[in-house]
Amino acid sequence: MAARTATISRKTNETQIEISINLDCTPGSQNAQVIEISTGIGFLDHMYHALAKHSGMSLTMKCKGDLWIDDHHTADDAIALGTAFKEALGEVRGIRRYGTGFAPLDEALSRAVIDICSRPYCVTDLGLKREKIGDLSTEMIPHIFYSFAIASGVTLHVDVLRGENDHHRSESAFKALALAIKQAIERTGGDDIPSTKGVL
């Protein structure tokens, strides 16, 4: 089977980011899972680490952003993550396409549903109340999901169903997305395009 990997770099006047991704590093695969995240924002690193770990992917991400301004441009580079994901996945063929994930974290429970369909769309309902978690503005968390969905060409719905602690709500959302991704990119053993249209 062809390796599903990608390495990209994206440089703007605001950020410089390098990402390497391997989608096939679940336990039992022949690939060791490697996760190295450095964005300059501790809580964002924590969320991306959870996303990689529970989706079964290897992810190396190094980002230098204009954090002396604020966290917006660095967090917005979920665009680069979505681009790398799309490139690594390649043609949407021989995969499940749809994925659903539920993830609890103590009192919080989140649901994520993804459709790898080349129809980029994103709906989130996270219910976050704090202004920041660590050094990450909570308003950027739904924007991260949006940027990833648009760049990767997926339809994505992420909902926090309950929870009191915003750290728990956010982390359960990222973990739910990880589980949904893991299911959606699972190889079926066939070579069909999972669409009645015959093209995605």
Side-chain angles (χ1 to χ4, degrees), residues 65-96:
D66 52 2
L67 293 176
W68 61 89
I69 295 176
D70 68 5
D71 58 348
H72 183 98
H73 299 137
T74 296
D76 194 38
D77 259 337
I79 294 169
L81 179 59
T83 302
F85 176 83
K86 183 176 183 179
E87 183 178 319
L89 192 60
E91 185 180 11
V92 182
R93 179 186 291 273
I95 63 169
R96 293 184 65 172

Side-chain angles (χ1 to χ4, degrees), residues 43 46-47 50 54 102-111 133 160-176 179:
F43 188 71
H46 182 40
M47 294 300 97
H54 297 288
F102 287 86
L105 179 54
D106 294 347
E107 87 296 346
L109 176 65
S110 294
R111 175 189 61 217
I133 306 173
V160 177
L161 304 178
R162 64 176 64 92
E164 298 298 323
N165 182 294
D166 276 359
H167 184 133
H168 293 172
R169 293 174 72 94
S170 301
E171 188 170 343
S172 69
F174 274 88
K175 288 177 175 176
L179 296 174

Side-chain angles (χ1 to χ4, degrees), residues 6-72:
T7 298
I8 69 163
S9 19
R10 183 172 186 262
K11 185 175 182 180
T12 70
N13 290 333
E14 298 158 345
T15 57
Q16 182 175 342
I17 185 165
E18 295 179 0
I19 293 179
S20 293
I21 190 171
N22 184 337
L23 301 182
D24 298 304
C25 297
T26 54
S29 72
Q30 301 303 309
N31 302 315
Q33 189 178 36
V34 177
I35 304 171
E36 296 176 357
I37 313 291
S38 178
T39 66
I41 304 172
F43 188 71
L44 183 58
D45 292 355
H46 182 40
M47 294 300 97
Y48 281 145
H49 193 281
L51 179 67
K53 178 65 177 179
H54 297 288
S55 63
M57 68 173 71
S58 281
L59 178 63
T60 300
M61 177 187 293
K62 296 179 181 180
C63 180
K64 293 181 180 180
D66 52 2
L67 293 176
W68 61 89
I69 295 176
D70 68 5
D71 58 348
H72 183 98

Side-chain angles (χ1 to χ4, degrees), residues 110-130:
S110 294
R111 175 189 61 217
V113 184
I114 192 170
D115 177 12
I116 301 174
C117 58
S118 302
R119 294 168 64 91
Y121 203 85
C122 184
V123 179
T124 59
D125 186 359
L126 308 182
L128 301 173
K129 298 173 184 176
R130 289 167 56 179

